[in-house]
Amino acid sequence: MSRNPRNLIVSTRRFPLETLTRQSCTPLPPQESHRRGPDRHRPSSTTPQRGFHCEAAAYTPNAGRSFPLGACSAATPRLALRWLLHRASHIADQLDAPAAEPLRHWLSDQAEHEHALSLLAKGETYTFTIFDDAMRYALSACATRSTR
């Protein structure tokens, strides 16, 4: 399957949306429950930890309208990518076959997934955008700071 550069864009810039609906991600077990010994009941430190904000959106560049397709917070780059892949699969299922082809290719592109994980691990933003006739679909993940 060959890539059509007109329909496939990968960017490191964050997709500009103000508000998105939240969806639940797979929760991780609390780290404190795995501690052993006398300090297992000690409260966790307030050291900032890196989290990831993921979002999916469709937008019409000509009309300037955007349609949120979901958002999520993830604890690790791998969970962020897993959420992006999950949403991409749902979006591809709803598109016509020609429009879904670049998205389906991205879903099976292991090299691109490793590139995304690398960028996210460095704290950079990863955005994947596909073009349809009048619509653009963007999947994005970026690092955030949170306190635990």
Side-chain angles (χ1 to χ4, degrees):
M1 188 182 290
S2 64
R3 290 189 195 193
N4 181 349
R6 182 179 164 276
N7 291 340
L8 176 66
I9 293 182
V10 176
S11 167
T12 57
R13 291 183 300 152
R14 184 179 171 141
F15 182 71
L17 280 181
E18 309 324 309
T19 59
L20 293 174
T21 59
R22 288 186 90 43
Q23 291 185 348
S24 63
C25 292
T26 306
L28 294 176
Q31 297 295 344
E32 285 75 81
S33 65
H34 298 294
R35 289 187 182 172
R36 305 239 188 261
D39 63 342
R40 72 174 181 215
H41 297 292
R42 186 179 299 166
S44 62
S45 68
T46 58
T47 307
Q49 300 292 321
R50 181 179 291 167
F52 297 88
H53 175 74
C54 310
E55 56 193 32
Y59 64 99
T60 56
N62 296 338
R65 296 188 61 198
S66 64
F67 305 93
L69 302 176
C72 176
S73 295
T76 66
R78 194 160 301 280
L79 288 174
L81 179 62
R82 183 183 300 170
W83 187 86
L84 292 178
L85 293 169
H86 183 73
R87 282 308 294 147
S89 176
H90 285 204
I91 293 167
D93 289 343
Q94 297 175 33
L95 296 174
D96 292 334
E101 186 177 334
L103 197 50
R104 295 222 184 269
H105 177 77
W106 180 76
L107 284 168
S108 63
D109 189 350
Q110 292 299 318
E112 187 60 33
H113 300 166
E114 292 301 319
H115 173 69
L117 287 173
S118 171
L119 286 175
L120 292 171
K122 290 184 217 173
E124 297 179 28
T125 298
Y126 177 80
T127 301
F128 173 76
T129 306
I130 64 165
F131 291 77
D132 195 0
D133 293 333
M135 294 291 288
R136 307 295 184 256
Y137 299 91
L139 297 155
S140 178
C142 65
T144 61
R145 287 282 196 202
S146 64
T147 57
R148 282 190 166 200

